[in-house]
């Protein structure tokens, strides 16, 4: 499938953009360590050229912290289209400014920054509204335009459907439009507490992005790292009660610690019957934090295996069923293509406001998150960081993260340039993935 999609993209040619995903190599043939994709469940550490300033608005970031995201597993399983062998992965990272282009004036070498996972131009009509994930001028994928009608912004480390930009699971990254896509981290905040995941609105204020009115009851399906944040942000934004739905005991226990949260194990309880008993009129809001990757029923497993659908509709239908009449559903879980058996009748007849939230518009929220929540202590991200490992462990990390081994939630992946662990603030010491238990908790 990847070969077919790439050939189709070559035939259509690239869409016009204001930047290029390819970068100039550093003088002298210097190399860095990076994680690259080579096929289904085949990721490897490689020596890649260190990037240099390629366009005058670029910066080069020396990475001090990166991580693995649940959505990276779609690449790992070769389920996202437009992957090519040798693609450098990773879309969540931070570090120090290593080099700046001639037209960069607000950043200087040595500044500590968190980098947006999208490459926004800063000047198109979407960027002017801070809808950075919808930038019109950075993603050259004509394939995405043919599938969706328009293109998202270019994303770091997420294949050629999103522009083909080399990602942040590496020691250095070239960041186009550096002044637009880097946020300075103020002195006094550790690299771990400003872990890039904390600035992604689907990891942080997802309820705000999913729905803007007051809510009394909210459900969040699948309580992984950003779903755990959805639980906490729903409470921060005024939800009176949250129902967290998952089946991993450790994650359910973590969700319960957030406050007025009731957990539902979908392998032990009937989700819809449990919610109907607890909230007879239906939830105000349901937020789908899952993915197309793991269907539960035999029907969808067969249809997905036969490529009769790319995504399943099981959780989507559950959310529509669970909300009240004129309730709202926010879709922040990653979906990529087409699904069967979607209950469009219930959507229409109940008047459900079904919102595809899109990829997180980081620039719309990151100043608020940093200044109003992290700096003030209203939101402490330490709860989600379960492990810290060196960058060379990435290939094995993908395997164990995929299997949910050793109680893994979120992993801070360090590079040789990383600061020491902030153990006094609740963050983990460095460990090696090879030493993790080969079982889920």
């Amino acid at each position: 499938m990847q070969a077919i999609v790439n050939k189709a993209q070559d035939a259509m040619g690239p869409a016009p953009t204001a930047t290029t995903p390819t970068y100039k190599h550093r003088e002298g043939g210097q190399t860095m360590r990076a994680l690259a994709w080579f096929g289904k469940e085949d990721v490897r550490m490689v020596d890649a050229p260190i990037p240099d300033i390629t366009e005058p608005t670029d910066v080069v970031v020396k990475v001090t912290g990166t991580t693995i995201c649940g959505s990276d597993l779609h690449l790992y399983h070769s389920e996202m289209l437009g992957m090519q062998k040798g693609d450098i992965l990773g879309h969540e990272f931070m570090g120090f400014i290593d080099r700046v282009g001639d037209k960069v004036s607000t950043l200087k070498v040595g500044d500590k920054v968190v980098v947006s996972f999208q490459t926004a131009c800063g000047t198109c009509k979407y960027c002017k509204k801070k809808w950075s994930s919808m930038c019109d001028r950075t993603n050259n994928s004509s394939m995405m335009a043919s599938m969706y009608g328009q293109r998202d912004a270019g994303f770091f480390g997420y294949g050629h459907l999103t522009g083909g930009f080399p990602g942040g699971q590496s020691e250095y990254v070239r960041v186009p439009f550096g002044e637009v896509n880097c946020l300075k981290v103020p002195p006094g905040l550790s690299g771990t507490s400003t872990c890039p995941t904390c600035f992604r609105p689907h990891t942080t204020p997802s309820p705000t992005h999913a729905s803007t009115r007051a809510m009394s009851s909210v459900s969040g399906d699948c309580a992984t790292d950003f779903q755990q944040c959805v639980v906490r942000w729903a409470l921060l934004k005024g939800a009176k009660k949250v129902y967290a739905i998952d089946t991993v005991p450790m994650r359910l226990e973590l969700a319960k610690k957030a406050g007025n949260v009731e957990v539902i194990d979908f392998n032990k309880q009937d989700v819809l019957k449990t919610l109907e008993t607890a909230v007879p009129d239906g939830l105000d809001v349901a937020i789908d934090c899952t993915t197309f990757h793991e269907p539960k029923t035999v029907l969808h497993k067969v249809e997905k295996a036969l490529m009769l659908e790319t995504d399943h509709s099981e959780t989507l239908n559950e959310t529509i069923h669970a909300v009240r009449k004129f309730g709202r559903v926010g879709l922040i879980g990653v979906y990529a293509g087409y699904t069967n058996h979607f209950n469009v009748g219930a959507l229409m007849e109940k008047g459900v406001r079904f919102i595809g939230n899109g990829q997180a518009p980081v620039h719309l929220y990151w100043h608020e998150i940093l200044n109003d929540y992290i700096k003030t202590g209203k939101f402490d991200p330490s709860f989600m960081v379960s492990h810290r490992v060196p960058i060379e462990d990435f290939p094995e990390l993908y395997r164990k993260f995929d299997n949910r081994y050793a109680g893994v939630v979120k992993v801070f992946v360090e590079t040789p340039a990383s600061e020491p662990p902030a153990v006094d603030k609740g963050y983990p010491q460095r460990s090696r993935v090879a030493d993790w238990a080969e079982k889920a908790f």
Side-chain angles (χ1 to χ4, degrees), residues 216-234:
S216 60
S217 56
V218 179
S219 77
D221 289 296
C222 188
T224 56
D225 57 333
F226 72 80
Q227 293 88 343
Q228 294 285 346
C229 290
V230 167
V231 169
R232 286 156 175 79
W233 281 93

Side-chain angles (χ1 to χ4, degrees), residues 25-32 47-51:
H25 297 175
R26 185 103 19 131
E27 68 277 356
Q30 299 176 64
T31 62
M32 64 178 179
D47 293 314
I50 296 178

Side-chain angles (χ1 to χ4, degrees), residues 159-380:
H160 296 263
L161 197 66
T162 58
F165 291 88
Q169 291 172 358
S170 59
E171 292 185 283
Y172 293 85
V173 183
R174 172 212 167 212
V175 180
F177 303 110
E179 292 181 321
V180 177
N181 296 306
C182 293
L183 176 68
K184 285 185 184 179
V185 177
L189 288 181
S190 70
T192 318
S193 63
T194 50
C195 178
T197 192
C198 305
F199 293 91
R200 295 170 58 216
H202 61 283
T203 313
T204 41
S206 293
T208 301
H209 190 46
S211 53
T212 56
R213 292 175 290 171
M215 46 197 164
S216 60
S217 56
V218 179
S219 77
D221 289 296
C222 188
T224 56
D225 57 333
F226 72 80
Q227 293 88 343
Q228 294 285 346
C229 290
V230 167
V231 169
R232 286 156 175 79
W233 281 93
L235 294 169
L236 276 172
K237 294 295 184 177
K240 295 178 181 178
K241 188 162 189 176
V242 176
Y243 298 85
I245 303 164
D246 201 333
T247 192
V248 180
M250 181 275 302
R251 297 197 309 219
L252 292 170
E253 286 299 315
L254 187 59
K256 284 197 291 188
K257 294 178 181 179
N260 195 12
V261 178
E262 183 173 326
V263 298
I264 300 173
D265 185 335
F266 62 73
N267 276 336
K268 297 179 179 179
Q269 299 164 268
D270 184 305
V271 172
L272 294 179
K273 286 183 179 179
T274 302
L275 289 173
E276 285 170 1
T277 301
V279 192
D281 290 334
L283 300 163
D284 293 312
V285 178
I287 300 175
D288 179 359
C289 308
T290 61
T291 170
F292 63 83
H293 175 56
E294 294 180 297
K296 292 181 284 187
T297 63
V298 173
L299 176 63
H300 282 284
K301 288 179 181 179
V302 171
E303 290 184 335
K304 196 167 184 293
L306 295 176
M307 291 302 293
L308 298 175
E309 66 176 4
T310 59
D311 304 10
H312 69 82
S313 57
E314 294 165 339
T315 306
L316 306 178
N317 289 337
E318 284 185 355
T319 59
I320 294 168
H321 189 108
V323 296
R324 60 174 170 78
K325 292 175 282 188
F326 291 127
R328 287 161 287 148
V329 173
L331 180 58
I332 61 173
V334 177
Y335 290 84
Y338 304 92
T339 188
N340 299 328
H341 316 293
F342 180 72
N343 195 349
V344 66
L347 179 73
M348 181 270 164
E349 294 292 349
K350 290 181 67 174
V352 173
R353 272 54 174 171
F354 190 92
I355 307 165
N357 295 115
Q359 296 287 347
V362 170
H363 299 182
L364 185 63
Y365 296 112
W366 62 359
H367 289 285
E368 176 191 1
I369 295 167
L370 175 62
N371 295 317
D372 296 348
Y373 289 94
I374 292 181
K375 286 172 65 176
T376 62
K378 292 180 181 178
F379 180 77
D380 180 2

